[in-house]
């Protein structure tokens, strides 16, 4: 997917050029396994791989998951998105004191990343940033 390479590299350049602390690891917004099988790839993961390579940080893939299949947020009204994503994520890894950066392609209302950030903070993350290509 050439777009992920380009967008990931551009985002990494922007992060590196800014006055932004480098995180301990990246967490791409996870897809539910059913959605992953249907789509065939996780766009956030592809972006995270490019960013991780450029910033020389790890990607946390294990122990952080979307435990229930939700409707696509883009298909819902803003008022329905929070309820749709509630309790969708699980984190079974100790993140005590870690600085985490969530990676996503597009952020609209922010409900998905807020829910994931809350899950990561519950697992002990001391700081959670967001790296996204676009904000709608």
């Amino acid at each position: 997917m050439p777009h992920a390479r380009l967008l990931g590299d551009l985002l990494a350049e922007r992060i590196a050029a800014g006055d932004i602390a480098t995180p301990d690891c990246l967490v791409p917004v996870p897809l539910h396994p059913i959605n992953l099988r249907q789509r065939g790839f996780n766009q956030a993961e592809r972006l995270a791989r490019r960013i991780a390579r450029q910033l020389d940080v790890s990607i946390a893939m294990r122990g952080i998951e979307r435990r229930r299949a939700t409707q696509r947020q883009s298909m819902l009204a803003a008022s329905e998105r929070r309820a749709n994503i509630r309790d969708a994520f699980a984190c079974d890894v100790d993140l005590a004191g870690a600085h985490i950066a969530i990676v996503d392609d597009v952020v609209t209302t922010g409900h998905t990343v807020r829910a994931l950030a809350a899950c990561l903070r519950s697992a002990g993350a001391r700081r959670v940033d967001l790296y996204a290509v676009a904000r709608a």
Side-chain angles (χ1 to χ4, degrees), residues 11 23 25-32 36 39 41-52 57-66 89-91 95 100-106 112-113 115-117 119-120 128-132:
L11 187 53
C25 71
L26 304 177
V27 173
V29 174
L31 293 177
H32 188 271
L36 182 57
R39 183 177 289 168
F41 64 95
N42 179 341
Q43 66 279 8
E45 180 183 337
R46 290 191 178 184
L47 290 168
R49 289 191 185 286
R50 296 301 294 189
I51 296 166
V57 297
S58 63
I59 301 175
M61 298 291 293
R62 295 179 187 207
I64 303 168
E65 63 185 12
R66 190 178 293 234
F89 298 106
C91 187
L95 298 174
I100 307 296
I102 296 171
V103 178
D104 203 1
D105 56 346
V106 179
T112 299
V113 294
L116 180 54
C119 181
L120 298 171
V128 180
D129 295 340
L130 169 64
Y131 299 163

Side-chain angles (χ1 to χ4, degrees), residues 49-120:
R49 289 191 185 286
R50 296 301 294 189
I51 296 166
R53 181 177 294 128
Q54 298 291 332
L55 299 181
D56 194 28
V57 297
S58 63
I59 301 175
M61 298 291 293
R62 295 179 187 207
I64 303 168
E65 63 185 12
R66 190 178 293 234
R67 65 176 166 196
R68 65 179 180 83
T70 57
Q71 292 180 317
R72 290 185 61 177
Q73 293 284 83
S74 61
M75 299 296 165
L76 300 174
S79 61
E80 299 170 308
R81 293 179 181 196
R82 183 178 304 137
N84 182 53
I85 203 72
R86 186 176 296 122
D87 298 323
F89 298 106
C91 187
D92 187 28
V93 63
D94 182 10
L95 298 174
H99 173 191
I100 307 296
I102 296 171
V103 178
D104 203 1
D105 56 346
V106 179
V107 176
T108 51
T109 61
H111 291 304
T112 299
V113 294
R114 272 195 287 277
L116 180 54
C119 181
L120 298 171

